[in-house]
Amino acid sequence: MLEKNALYVVATPIGNLNDISLRALDILAKVDVVAAEHVQNSKHLLAMHAITAKLISLHQHNETAVADKILALLDAGKSVALVTDAGTPGISDPGAILVKRVREQGFSVIPIPGANAAICAMSAAGIVHPHFLFYGFLPNRTGLRKRELTTLKSQPCTLIFYEAPHRILECVADMVDIFGPQRQMTIARELTKLFETIHNGTLEAVYAWLQADANQQKGEFVLMLSGAEILDKAEIGEQARHTLQCLLAELPLKQAVKLTTEITGENKNALYQLALALKQPK
């Protein structure tokens, strides 16, 4: 049964319109209002299933203002469904601000699960590492994008990004610069659509593949980048080595090792052996 005074967060297809769930269709047919990222896009989806619903626009530029209107509807006993153009609302799409406000006011928020591009891509990528970090869209500007990528360089889990067609080449080029040419990448474009493509290789090879075929630069992208190799516990990371070298230049060996252990969390015995080696005359 439909719950009144409730916000339904409804996932919609990311490409193939047949991927919508029966439960999602039932909710969209019964709620009093559907808040849609782009009304015309949602009208097309609803019309396919003979659903006539009252639609209002909610997108990233008006979400805060429209949230007030939706709260008023909920307070009046109405039910509202939230949809975006594709996928799950609030996941690299509008919706999180509205959900936060609705929950703060004590109204029910009910998720209606369905399509998500990141999970769809991972399921068909054949990546055996069990852990991943979903980042979403990187900054548009190269300088900021490289800064963010640098902070992720040492992450051991698979990194998942979204990217738009007009930035795909420069984004992958930045990844080559930051992660090196040999990191493995699986790239998925136009998932569930006519020209769906899933391709993998080294970053260098993927960049060359994109450059060689302008058609592969079109569509919406999910980028899945392999994580950093986990160092053996006996090995000392580059950052810890640099810290130790700096401290050894100013402090006695034991004190430098002690501080480096506290700062980096590296193994104290391994750091001590490295310090002895660094202190040996060349």
Side-chain angles (χ1 to χ4, degrees), residues 38-202:
H38 290 98
V39 169
Q40 289 304 318
N41 290 350
S42 295
K43 275 185 177 179
H44 176 60
L45 173 66
L46 296 178
M48 275 195 64
H49 300 282
I51 295 173
T52 57
K54 179 181 179 181
L55 288 104
I56 60 173
S57 175
L58 181 145
H59 49 73
Q60 65 180 50
H61 302 296
N62 72 354
E63 186 172 353
T64 299
V66 175
D68 291 332
K69 298 178 181 179
I70 291 175
L71 285 169
L73 289 169
L74 298 177
D75 194 48
K78 304 295 184 181
S79 56
V80 178
L82 170 67
V83 298
T84 54
D85 287 345
T88 303
I91 310 300
S92 289
D93 265 332
I97 294 172
L98 171 63
V99 168
K100 183 174 184 292
R101 293 278 306 280
V102 170
R103 291 182 62 83
E104 286 173 346
Q105 294 301 312
F107 296 109
S108 296
V109 178
I110 302 170
I112 309 299
N116 173 270
I119 300 303
C120 178
M122 282 289 287
S123 72
I127 296 172
V128 298
H129 195 288
H131 307 297
F132 65 86
L133 185 153
F134 173 72
Y135 185 96
F137 286 99
L138 286 157
N140 295 342
R141 292 164 52 190
T142 292
L144 293 176
R145 182 164 56 238
K146 283 188 172 182
R147 186 185 306 170
E148 287 297 299
L149 291 172
T150 300
T151 67
L152 299 168
K153 186 176 179 180
S154 62
Q155 288 285 344
C157 53
T158 301
L159 304 174
I160 304 179
F161 306 94
Y162 288 162
E163 195 49 273
H166 59 282
R167 289 192 301 268
I168 186 62
L169 276 178
E170 62 187 64
C171 178
V172 176
D174 287 345
M175 289 180 175
V176 173
D177 287 344
I178 300 301
F179 297 100
Q182 296 308 307
R183 276 279 188 109
Q184 290 291 314
M185 169 178 276
T186 302
I187 186 168
R189 58 177 287 271
E190 293 294 87
L191 288 170
T192 78
K193 301 174 187 174
L194 180 61
F195 297 106
E196 176 181 278
T197 305
I198 300 175
H199 181 82
N200 70 286
T202 65

Side-chain angles (χ1 to χ4, degrees), residues 2 10 19 25 28 34 40 44-47 56 58 60 131 133 152 171 197 218 239-241 243 254 259-260 275 279:
L2 189 74
V10 182
D19 287 338
L25 292 175
L28 292 172
V34 175
Q40 289 304 318
H44 176 60
L45 173 66
L46 296 178
I56 60 173
L58 181 145
Q60 65 180 50
H131 307 297
L133 185 153
L152 299 168
C171 178
T197 305
K218 299 175 181 177
Q239 183 179 354
R241 178 183 289 267
T243 301
K254 286 187 177 181
L259 285 173
T260 304
K279 277 292 189 181

Side-chain angles (χ1 to χ4, degrees), residues 223-245:
L223 310 177
M224 294 158 283
L225 189 65
S226 64
E229 290 186 16
I230 300 175
L231 294 173
D232 187 276
K233 290 183 179 180
E235 296 183 33
I236 302 298
E238 183 179 332
Q239 183 179 354
R241 178 183 289 267
H242 177 70
T243 301
L244 180 60
Q245 286 176 316

